[in-house]
């Protein structure tokens, strides 16, 4: 219960701050004494700071010292392992991306990818920059066992039972958290994005791996076998390849149609003038829209967030998703209101990695700080 109320206070300051304790108490629905007690713990942990005294705009009442998130002093190192490269970034606890770089894979072997990621993490750790590094958050596609810190299966990289958390913790001396990127992005939207305050939602990630996540009563579902959200076979269907709608599949179709594009950004650029390139994205949206319609009918969510690079770029892609859901969903009367692009387009990978660690921090801040501090080298 103690950490539950501390989490509620920390999230209130994230959402409202800088903010007086009295406003936090009203927002959270706890007594002012509880806010005072929990804010003291969060101040001692270095997660909150107290700003200089202020007075109300009306000039009535005693001066107060607003509480603010200590985002200037605390960061996480965000890692996203994709099909072609690993992204390593520094993100503060308010979700702001401060810096980042990408490391191309020299092979798909986990030893090579994790060694390069470990070196990049260590370089960030050693640079200092005046920040306290709380933890490392690692996001990756496929089937991920968050509790064990293991990638159970990644269809594109051909990984099976890779102990990512243990290897990166040993290489860097930092506490490491691991999760799937679809679930991580759901957490990010709940913390910093359009799903804040939303009880139920569906997340669809469309890239070189196609994954989904869903939340019910504000909690992201994991499942006993860490397979919740694995929809590659569902998307491909019985007659299709399991990655028929992945980015690589789209690029293969582009090559077969003699469209000169070697990357998705190049294909998106071509789609502005080439009807054949444009139609590839629209057709994919129509195919995946049927999956969205099925998820909508099963879960009846308040919102659907789709992470698809073409969605904000090509209006016809959004129209394809919306009209397909409208035509195939029984329960959704207004998919145009239901469906939205990610809040973090352009920084999806960095945000996903950060959210893996920050979800735990905002869910149980005092427990997380105690656990992470214990994991740090002496």
């Amino acid at each position: 219960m103690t950490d539950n109320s501390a989490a509620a206070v920390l999230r209130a300051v994230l959402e409202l701050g800088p903010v007086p304790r009295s406003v936090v108490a009203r927002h959270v629905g706890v007594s002012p004494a509880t806010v005072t007690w929990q804010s003291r713990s969060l101040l001692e942990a270095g997660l909150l700071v107290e700003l200089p005294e202020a007075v109300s705009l009306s000039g009535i009442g005693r001066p107060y010292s607003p509480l603010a998130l200590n985002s200037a002093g605390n960061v996480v190192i965000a890692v996203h392992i994709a099909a072609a490269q690993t992204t390593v970034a520094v993100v503060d606890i308010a979700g702001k991306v401060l810096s980042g770089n990408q490391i191309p894979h020299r092979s798909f072997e986990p030893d090579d990818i994790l060694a390069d990621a470990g070196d990049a993490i260590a370089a960030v750790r050693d640079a200092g920059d005046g920040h306290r590094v709380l933890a490392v958050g690692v996001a990756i596609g496929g089937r991920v066992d968050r509790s064990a810190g293991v990638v159970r299966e990644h269809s594109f990289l051909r990984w099976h039972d890779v102990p990512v958390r243990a290897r990166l913790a040993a290489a860097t001396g930092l506490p490491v958290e691991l999760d799937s990127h679809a679930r991580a992005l759901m957490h990010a939207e709940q913390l910093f994005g359009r799903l804040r305050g939303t009880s139920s939602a569906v997340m669809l990630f469309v890239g070189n791996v196609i994954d989904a996540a869903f939340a019910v009563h504000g909690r992201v579902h994991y499942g006993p076998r860490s397979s919740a959200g694995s929809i590659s076979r569902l998307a491909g269907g019985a007659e299709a390849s399991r990655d028929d709608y992945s980015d690589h599949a789209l690029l293969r179709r582009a090559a077969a149609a003699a469209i000169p594009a070697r990357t998705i950004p190049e294909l998106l650029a071509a789609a502005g003038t080439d009807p054949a390139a444009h139609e590839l994205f629209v057709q994919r949206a129509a195919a995946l829209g049927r999956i969205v319609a099925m998820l909508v009918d099963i879960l009846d969510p308040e919102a659907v967030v789709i992470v698809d690079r073409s969605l904000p770029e090509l209006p016809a892609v959004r129209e394809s998703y919306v009209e397909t859901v409208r035509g195939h969903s029984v329960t959704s009367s207004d998919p145009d209101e239901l469906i939205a692009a990610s809040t973090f387009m352009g920084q999806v990978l960095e945000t996903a990695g950060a959210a893996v660690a920050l979800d735990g921090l905002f869910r149980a801040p005092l427990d997380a700080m105690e656990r992470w501090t214990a994991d740090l080298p002496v």
Side-chain angles (χ1 to χ4, degrees):
M1 180 63 69
T2 297
D3 218 18
N4 286 343
S5 53
V9 170
L10 189 65
R11 290 182 77 127
V13 176
L14 170 68
E15 294 172 22
L16 306 173
V19 63
R21 288 168 174 79
S22 60
V23 175
V24 172
R26 288 196 298 271
H27 182 78
V28 175
V30 298
S31 69
T34 297
V35 172
T36 298
W37 175 36
Q38 294 298 353
S39 61
R40 185 180 299 120
S41 297
L42 294 167
L43 287 162
E44 290 172 356
L47 297 174
L48 294 182
V49 292
E50 201 168 36
L51 300 183
E53 282 191 347
V55 295
S56 67
L57 293 176
S58 66
I60 301 173
R62 296 175 58 188
Y64 62 90
S65 297
L67 295 173
L69 206 62
N70 187 10
S71 54
N74 296 289
V75 300
V76 296
I77 298 177
V79 178
H80 184 282
I81 301 173
Q85 76 281 323
T86 296
T87 300
V88 177
V90 177
V91 181
D92 71 23
I93 62 171
K96 181 180 179 181
V97 179
L98 304 178
S99 65
N101 67 297
Q102 293 187 330
I103 305 104
H105 298 332
R106 48 193 165 106
S107 79
F108 287 167
E109 290 299 317
D111 288 348
D112 291 338
I113 291 175
L114 296 179
D116 291 344
D119 289 344
I121 294 166
V124 172
R125 177 201 64 202
D126 296 341
D129 294 332
H131 303 300
R132 176 173 63 158
V133 177
L134 300 181
V136 177
V138 183
I140 187 171
R143 190 159 66 93
V144 178
D145 186 334
R146 180 177 70 162
S147 298
V150 173
V151 175
R152 294 300 180 194
E153 180 186 12
H154 192 294
S155 60
F156 186 86
L157 295 177
R158 303 289 190 259
W159 285 14
H160 299 279
D161 295 327
V162 178
V164 171
R165 184 173 66 199
R167 290 194 186 183
L168 288 180
T172 64
L174 292 170
V176 176
E177 306 286 352
L178 175 73
D179 207 345
S180 83
H181 55 202
R183 294 192 296 247
L185 284 167
M186 179 74 84
H187 289 306
E189 293 286 354
Q190 290 175 326
L191 281 172
F192 311 114
R194 64 178 73 254
L195 296 182
R196 181 181 283 173
T198 300
S199 177
S200 60
V202 168
M203 170 77 61
L204 178 68
F205 182 94
V206 182
N208 289 312
V209 175
I210 297 173
D211 290 329
F214 64 94
V216 178
H217 302 306
R219 303 284 293 185
V220 178
H221 183 69
Y222 280 78
R225 289 165 295 280
S226 308
S227 61
S230 298
I231 62 168
S232 292
R233 294 187 186 278
L234 184 63
E239 303 298 325
S241 166
R242 62 183 290 130
D243 69 340
D244 238 19
Y245 302 103
S246 69
D247 284 353
H248 279 287
L250 229 60
L251 291 172
R252 288 196 296 270
R253 289 196 182 100
I259 300 170
R262 294 179 298 175
T263 66
I264 290 296
E266 290 178 1
L267 189 57
L268 273 171
T273 57
D274 186 335
H278 187 272
E279 188 61 18
L280 289 177
F281 290 105
V282 173
Q283 288 176 352
R284 177 167 75 172
L288 295 179
R290 290 193 288 273
I291 305 302
V292 174
M294 187 182 303
L295 294 173
V296 165
D297 284 349
I298 293 171
L299 300 169
D300 192 18
E302 296 174 52
V304 175
V305 175
I306 300 176
V307 184
D308 178 337
R309 280 187 281 186
S310 66
L311 182 58
E313 300 288 333
L314 305 175
V317 168
R318 175 178 173 77
E319 183 180 343
S320 183
Y321 275 115
V322 168
E323 291 308 313
T324 302
V325 172
R326 195 188 309 280
H328 289 79
S329 169
V330 175
T331 62
S332 176
S333 59
D334 193 359
D336 193 40
E337 288 291 322
L338 186 70
I339 294 171
S342 170
T343 308
F344 311 106
M345 297 308 295
Q347 294 184 321
V348 164
L349 307 184
E350 297 90 338
T351 303
V356 174
L358 294 177
D359 165 61
L361 181 68
F362 282 95
R363 192 159 28 86
L366 303 180
D367 284 351
M369 292 299 291
E370 182 178 359
R371 184 176 71 254
W372 291 343
T373 302
D375 286 345
L376 291 172
V378 178

